[in-house]
């Protein structure tokens, strides 16, 4: 089983590190355009095998897509990261051409590949990957909802002083500070609604902190976060490679589901060796449906830039 991670920066390297530590793939290829960068990261990670006890092999390459041939899954983290004060949407012009080129090269050498998009703006880059790859819709997945949901659970756990692993909580909609929808009324603590323990003000605080979770870290660190994004991507790769059939929120192509057409947006899906297998419907309140529609409108406006610029 072979996995490729494109982009050896902080997010890509952390994704690769999580994958090899857990022996998810027999072979992992780490690819970057910077000469020697992926090779160095791969060698550094390989030197932890005797200490951590994994058997996965990792190979770093500089822009050599032939080395990715036969990959089951590829994770795309390429592109410029956010800087303080930047929105994910401001990255579209630079990152679109990068992602399109990467997708085309991956598919050329691995026509049966499943592609996981991490690059921002994630929903629009997922839509671009689908339109430019020619792959079936179930083999293109955007990672953002899995990360946002993990951040949501963290915020709830902080407020309740509860273990994050005891919580079930998801974020749907776009992977953006103004487009994600943390479903606080659906969240549970070992099957008990968390709203039973929280005031309206506390719920609103959790939702707000979740929505700006990425921007908060960017302002603190000076660039985009990487530990949680890398862990989220690796967890999704594991569900694909090991055919686990786990439920994640992911950006996938909607063809009438949730009242939306021709858009990739975050919804609950089952992830297995097919890619995303099926979309799980939700019983949304009218105000949640309205927020989802607004989120879709905002993402669709970003997608239009791809058409206006002649990228798709």
């Amino acid at each position: 089983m072979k996995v490729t991670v494109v982009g050896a920066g902080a997010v890509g390297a952390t994704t690769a590190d999580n994958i090899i530590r857990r022996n998810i793939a027999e072979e992992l290829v780490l690819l970057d355009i910077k000469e020697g960068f992926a090779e160095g990261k791969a060698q550094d990670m390989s030197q932890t095998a005797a200490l951590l006890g994994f058997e996965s092999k990792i190979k770093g390459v500089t822009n050599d897509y032939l080395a990715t041939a036969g990959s089951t899954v590829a994770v795309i983290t390429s592109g410029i990261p956010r800087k303080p004060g930047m929105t994910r949407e401001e990255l579209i012009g630079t990152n679109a051409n990068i992602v399109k080129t990467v997708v085309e090269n991956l598919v050329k050498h691995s026509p049966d590949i499943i592609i996981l998009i991490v690059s921002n703006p994630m929903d629009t880059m997922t839509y671009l990957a689908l339109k430019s790859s020619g792959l079936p819709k179930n083999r293109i997945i955007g990672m953002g909802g899995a990360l946002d949901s993990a951040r949501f659970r963290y915020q709830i756990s902080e407020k309740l002083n509860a273990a994050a692993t005891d919580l079930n909580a998801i974020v749907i909609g776009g992977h953006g500070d103004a487009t994600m929808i943390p479903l606080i009324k659906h969240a549970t603590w070992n099957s008990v609604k968390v709203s039973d323990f929280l005031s309206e003000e506390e719920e609103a605080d959790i939702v707000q902190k979740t929505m700006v979770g990425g921007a908060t870290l960017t302002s603190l660190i000076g660039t985009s976060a990487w530990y949680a994004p890398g862990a989220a991507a690796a967890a999704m790769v594991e569900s694909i490679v090991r055919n686990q059939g786990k439920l994640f929120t992911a950006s996938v192509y909607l063809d009438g589901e949730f009242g939306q057409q021709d858009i990739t947006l975050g919804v609950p899906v089952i992830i297995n060796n097919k890619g995303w297998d099926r979309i799980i419907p939700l019983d949304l309140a009218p105000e949640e449906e309205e927020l989802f529609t607004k989120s879709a409108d905002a993402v669709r406006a970003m997608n239009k830039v791809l058409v206006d610029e002649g990228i798709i």
Side-chain angles (χ1 to χ4, degrees):
M1 188 67 69
K2 185 174 183 178
V3 173
T4 289
V5 177
V6 182
V11 176
T14 305
T15 300
D17 189 43
N18 274 278
I19 290 171
I20 62 168
R21 280 172 183 253
R22 288 149 65 178
N23 283 307
I24 293 170
E26 294 170 306
E27 179 184 359
L28 187 141
V29 176
L30 183 62
L31 183 149
D32 201 276
I33 61 170
K34 184 178 178 181
E35 187 71 37
F37 193 55
E39 289 88 338
K41 292 282 186 83
Q43 189 173 137
D44 190 15
M45 286 182 224
S46 296
Q47 290 168 5
T48 69
L51 302 168
L52 298 174
F54 63 80
E55 297 177 355
S56 298
K57 302 299 182 183
I58 179 168
K59 177 182 181 181
V61 297
T62 301
N63 219 30
D64 178 12
Y65 283 91
L66 184 59
T68 73
S71 292
T72 300
V73 187
V75 183
I76 300 179
T77 70
S78 306
I80 61 170
R82 282 206 289 176
K83 302 297 182 185
M86 289 181 72
T87 66
R88 295 179 179 90
E89 293 75 17
E90 289 174 318
L91 303 177
I92 186 171
T94 301
N95 287 353
N97 286 310
I98 295 172
V99 169
K100 184 178 180 181
T101 299
V102 170
V103 167
E104 290 171 347
N105 278 303
L106 288 170
V107 173
K108 176 181 178 181
H109 295 285
S110 303
D112 297 322
I113 201 166
I114 296 167
I115 297 178
L116 181 64
I117 302 293
V118 178
S119 307
N120 280 313
M122 191 274 309
D123 297 287
T124 295
M125 294 301 100
T126 304
Y127 185 77
L128 170 62
L130 179 64
K131 294 297 182 179
S132 60
S133 68
L135 293 176
K137 63 183 181 181
N138 65 295
R139 288 203 261 139
I140 301 291
I141 307 168
M143 180 277 290
L147 170 60
D148 296 333
S149 297
R151 287 174 171 167
F152 188 26
R153 290 164 69 182
Y154 163 74
Q155 293 296 342
I156 297 171
S157 73
E158 288 289 285
K159 192 72 73 175
L160 294 179
N161 193 26
T165 51
D166 279 349
L167 300 169
N168 281 296
I170 65 170
V171 176
I172 62 172
H175 179 58
D177 300 348
T179 56
M180 69 178 73
I181 308 161
L183 295 176
I184 189 69
K185 296 299 184 184
H186 297 251
T188 60
W189 185 3
N190 277 345
S191 302
V192 181
K193 290 184 177 180
V194 300
S195 56
D196 291 350
F197 306 95
L198 299 168
S199 67
E200 291 290 332
E201 292 76 15
E202 288 173 320
E203 290 181 6
D205 185 55
I206 289 169
V207 168
Q208 177 59 21
K209 286 179 177 176
T210 300
M211 293 178 70
V212 299
T216 299
L217 291 170
T218 300
S219 67
L220 291 170
I221 301 170
T223 187
S224 296
W226 57 90
Y227 293 118
M236 297 178 84
V237 170
E238 183 174 23
S239 196
I240 294 167
V241 170
R242 294 182 171 156
N243 196 27
Q244 292 176 326
K246 288 189 174 182
L247 190 152
F248 291 90
T249 306
S251 186
V252 299
Y253 187 76
L254 302 181
D255 189 16
E257 299 90 351
F258 288 83
Q260 297 297 324
Q261 295 274 356
D262 192 32
I263 191 171
T264 54
L265 208 58
V267 295
V269 294
I270 301 299
I271 303 290
N272 59 21
N273 62 4
K274 298 177 184 177
W276 65 269
D277 192 6
R278 65 186 187 278
I279 294 170
I280 306 301
L282 289 173
D283 185 15
L284 298 178
E287 59 269 23
E288 293 167 338
E289 291 181 350
E290 182 179 353
L291 288 171
F292 192 82
T293 299
K294 289 181 179 178
S295 179
D297 290 343
V299 171
R300 193 170 279 111
M302 280 193 288
N303 293 350
K304 187 174 182 296
V305 176
L306 300 175
V307 178
D308 293 343
E309 297 294 325
I311 298 170
I312 59 173

